[in-house]
Amino acid sequence: MGMTMSQKILADHAGAASVKAGELIEADLDLVLGNDITSPVAIHEMDRMKNRRVFSQDKIALVMDHFIPNKDIKSAEHCKCVRNFASEFGITNYFDVGQMGIEHALLPEKGLVVAGNLCIGADSHTCTYGALGAFSTGVGSTDMAAGMASGKAWFKVPSAIRVLVTGKKRKYVTGKDLILHLIGEIGVDGALYQSLEFTGDGIADLSMDDRFTIANMAIEAGAKNGIFPVDEQTLAYMKEHASTCGKTYEADPDAEYTRTVTIDLAQLEPTVSFPHLPSNARKISEITEAIPMDQAVIGSCTNGRISDLRAAAEILKGRHVKKGLRCIVIPATQDIYLQAMEEGLLKIFIEAGAVVSTPTCGPCLGGYMGILAAGERCISTTNRNFIGRMGDVTSEVYLASPYVAAASAVTGKISSPEELQ
Amino acid sequence: MNAQGKVFKYGDNIDTDVIIPARYLNSSDPAELATHCMEDIDKTFTERVHQGDIIVGLKNFGCGSSREHAPIAIKAAGVSCVIAETFARIFFRNSINIGLPILECPEAAAEIQDGDTVCVDFSTGVIRDLTQNKEYKAQPFPPFMQKIISAGGLINYVNQNE
C-alpha cells in the first residue's frame, strides 16, 4: 500500500520506512511555534519540568501577534513573559512589535518553513504551511512545551481525503471561495483527524497566496493538516524567501484516500459563510436578500497578504466606504504593510474612508481593534464566524474574500464585486 | 479511576470560543478562566456546576481555536470528564495533556440527558447513566494515555519518567 504525501513526511521524520493510518508515532520536529496567547501557558508548563531546556535556539518561533501592540496590562504581562523566556534561552526567531507579523503570514515570508518540513504550532491555523508542501498542524500549549524541550511530538498517522482541483477560476474567484465552498460541502467535521491533500491540474491556477488561504482553513473542516504538491510556483516562492527549498515529497500513485472531492474552479463563485459556522456557505448569486453590514474587516492569517490587499484596493479605488460602516484593513506583516505603502494601496484605503492598522490578529478572535456591539454584523476575510467570535454573543460574522468584503464595504450590504460595475 | 456527577448536555460543534471566549485569554490563570467557562453558550453554567460534574456534547466537541485554555477552564470549573460523539483533534490532545479525561461514545452522547447522574470508569471505558439505568461502553484509553491522565498531565508524566 502506498503512502499519502502527509504520511511520507511523517514517516521520514519518525525514521520509519513507512507508516500506516492510525499508527501512533514519535517524530522529530523542524519547527515549534507559539504566540503571545499560547506561549505563556507553554512557558509555565516548562517551568514545571525537572529538566528545563530547549532543543534548539533556532527551531523555535515565538511571534507576538494576537493582542499586540499590548491591548491591556494583562496582555503586556503575557508578552513580557515570552520576551524574557526568549532572552533567557537565546531564541533567535522571536518577533516583537516592529518585526512581527501575523504568525502564519510571517513564517513563510521569513523562510522559516519550507517543503517537507514537519512543524507544530500552538495555534490552530498552523496548518497554513501545507501550502509549501510541509506537514504542519496546530497543537496546544503543553504539546508546544514538550516540543520546545525535546524537539519531538507524538502523532496519530492520519488517513486522507483527496481534493481534486480542476479548471480555471473566473474573475473575482479566489482561494477563499474554494475553501469556503469545500467546507460547505464536507462540513466543519468533514475531515476530522484526517489530511486534506490537494491535487489536480487546477492547482496551477492557484497563486501561493490562494494556497496559503486554503491550507489555513483546513482546520475549519476539522482536518489535521491541508497540503499542496510542490510545483514551480512553490519553488519560486521558497527561492525568494528561504535559504533552501527543503525536500519535495509526492504521494504514491497507489496511496489510499477515504474519499475524493472534486472541485471545478470554473464552477466556483464568490462565496459567503453565514453565522455561526464556516460550513454555512452560500454562493453570492444565491444571496437575494439585502443583508446590511456595520463593519468590514480585511486582514488576518487567512487573507492579509499582498494579493488580498491588492484585491481590496482594486474594488475600493475611486469609491467610498458606505456611510455608517467601519472598514478596517490589516496588512498581515510589516513587509506586506511596506509593500502596500509603496504600491499606493494604503492611500486608496484611506481615501476610501477605511482605516489601516498595524499587523495584528486583533478583531478576528474578538481581541481588540474592531469589536462588535450587540446585534452588529461584520463581513470579514477572517476564518471563523462562531458565536461571539468578534464581540457580543448576538453579533454576527460573515466570512468572505477580500473582493466581497470590499464590495460590501462600499454598498453597506453583502455584495458581489460585479454589482459595482 | 472513576468519575461521578450531574450532566450538563450540549449539542454539535461546541467550539473553544464559546468554551472560553478570547476576550478572557489575556489571563492564563486556571481559576480565573474557570469563572468564564461556557459563558457564551450557557451563562449560568459556572453558577450551577459542582465538583465532579460531567459535560456531554455531540459531534466535533472542542472545534476551532487550539487554545489549551478551553480544557483548562473546564477542568478548573470542577468538571471531572467530558463525553462526546466525537472530539476535535486539538481539543482531544490538549485534554489528555492537561489530565482532563474525555471519552468518545456516540450512543452515550446521544442518549444521556441534561441533569442525569452519570458514573464513568476510565480503566474499562464503562459509562453508567444512573438516572436512566443504562450502561455504555466507550473505547478505554490506551495505557500510555491512562498514565498521562493519572499523572495529572503530560508534564507530570514526563517528570516521573526523567
Side-chain angles (χ1 to χ4, degrees), chain B residues 20-42:
Chain B
I20 183 72
R23 58 185 176 274
Y24 303 120
L25 296 187
N26 55 4
S27 171
S28 45
D29 172 28
E32 191 176 341
L33 294 170
T35 62
H36 301 292
C37 188
M38 309 305 284
E39 184 174 296
D40 280 2
I41 195 164
D42 182 353

Side-chain angles (χ1 to χ4, degrees), chain A residues 24 37 41 44-45 48-51 53 67 72 74-75 78 122-124 137-143 154 188-189 192-193 224 277 365 384 386 389 393, chain B residues 13 15 17-18 22 25-28 32 40 59-60 64-69 72 86-90 93-94 97-98 104 144-145 154-156 159 162:
Chain A
L24 286 169
I37 287 182
V41 179
H44 293 322
E45 290 297 299
R48 301 201 295 119
M49 286 183 190
K50 278 185 192 158
N51 185 4
R53 65 192 186 277
F67 291 167
D72 54 25
K74 285 179 176 175
S75 306
H78 271 172
D123 187 279
S124 60
T137 190
V139 296
S141 297
T142 301
D143 275 322
W154 66 265
V188 289
D189 63 349
L192 203 57
Y193 308 123
K224 186 171 206 149
L277 285 176
L365 76 163
R384 290 191 175 125
F386 299 152
R389 174 76 178 177
V393 290
Chain B
N13 303 314
D15 61 75
D17 274 272
V18 296
L25 296 187
N26 55 4
S27 171
S28 45
E32 191 176 341
D40 280 2
K59 280 195 298 186
N60 202 25
S65 159
S66 66
R67 60 190 70 163
E68 199 160 297
H69 311 67
I72 289 173
T86 52
F87 288 95
R89 56 161 287 277
I90 304 176
R93 284 186 84 104
N94 288 348
N97 285 344
I98 67 151
E104 279 191 345
F144 88 96
M145 282 190 187
L154 181 64
I155 301 300
N156 291 351
N159 281 340
E162 288 249 329

Side-chain angles (χ1 to χ4, degrees), chain A residues 4-7 9 127-137 158-165 178-199 203 211 213-229 251 256-263, chain B residues 89:
Chain A
T4 66
M5 192 175 168
S6 302
Q7 289 167 354
I9 297 173
C127 49
T128 308
Y129 320 127
L132 294 166
F135 184 100
S136 61
T137 190
S159 61
I161 294 175
R162 180 170 61 165
V163 183
L164 184 62
V165 184
L178 184 156
I179 190 66
L180 293 180
H181 169 81
L182 177 63
I183 298 164
E185 287 288 302
I186 69 174
V188 289
D189 63 349
L192 203 57
Y193 308 123
Q194 293 191 286
S195 303
L196 282 173
E197 297 216 343
F198 294 87
T199 176
I203 286 173
R211 298 179 201 184
T213 303
I214 293 166
N216 173 273
M217 287 190 71
I219 177 71
E220 310 315 333
K224 186 171 206 149
N225 69 311
I227 197 164
F228 280 83
E256 192 182 37
Y257 300 95
T258 58
R259 65 187 281 205
T260 295
V261 180
T262 302
I263 295 180
Chain B
R89 56 161 287 277

Side-chain angles (χ1 to χ4, degrees), chain B residues 4-144:
Chain B
Q4 182 171 325
K6 193 161 69 73
V7 166
F8 288 77
K9 175 98 184 251
Y10 301 101
D12 288 334
N13 303 314
I14 298 301
D15 61 75
T16 55
D17 274 272
V18 296
I19 295 172
I20 183 72
R23 58 185 176 274
Y24 303 120
L25 296 187
N26 55 4
S27 171
S28 45
D29 172 28
E32 191 176 341
L33 294 170
T35 62
H36 301 292
C37 188
M38 309 305 284
E39 184 174 296
D40 280 2
I41 195 164
D42 182 353
K43 278 205 178 332
T44 61
F45 173 81
T46 52
E47 296 161 22
R48 296 184 292 130
V49 70
H50 291 98
Q51 192 66 35
D53 283 350
I54 291 171
I55 288 178
V56 177
L58 296 175
K59 280 195 298 186
N60 202 25
F61 189 94
C63 63
S65 159
S66 66
R67 60 190 70 163
E68 199 160 297
H69 311 67
I72 289 173
I74 289 175
K75 191 181 177 190
V79 170
S80 63
C81 173
V82 183
I83 299 166
E85 186 179 330
T86 52
F87 288 95
R89 56 161 287 277
I90 304 176
F91 184 89
F92 187 92
R93 284 186 84 104
N94 288 348
S95 299
I96 303 293
N97 285 344
I98 67 151
L100 171 69
I102 60 175
L103 290 172
E104 279 191 345
C105 184
E107 299 79 23
E111 292 180 11
I112 293 172
Q113 297 299 312
D114 191 57
D116 286 1
T117 299
V118 164
C119 176
V120 181
D121 182 333
F122 298 120
S123 52
T124 60
V126 169
I127 299 168
R128 275 189 294 143
D129 186 327
L130 304 177
T131 308
Q132 299 191 42
N133 197 24
K134 282 185 183 166
E135 192 170 296
Y136 309 93
K137 183 86 165 61
Q139 193 72 23
F141 297 117
F144 88 96

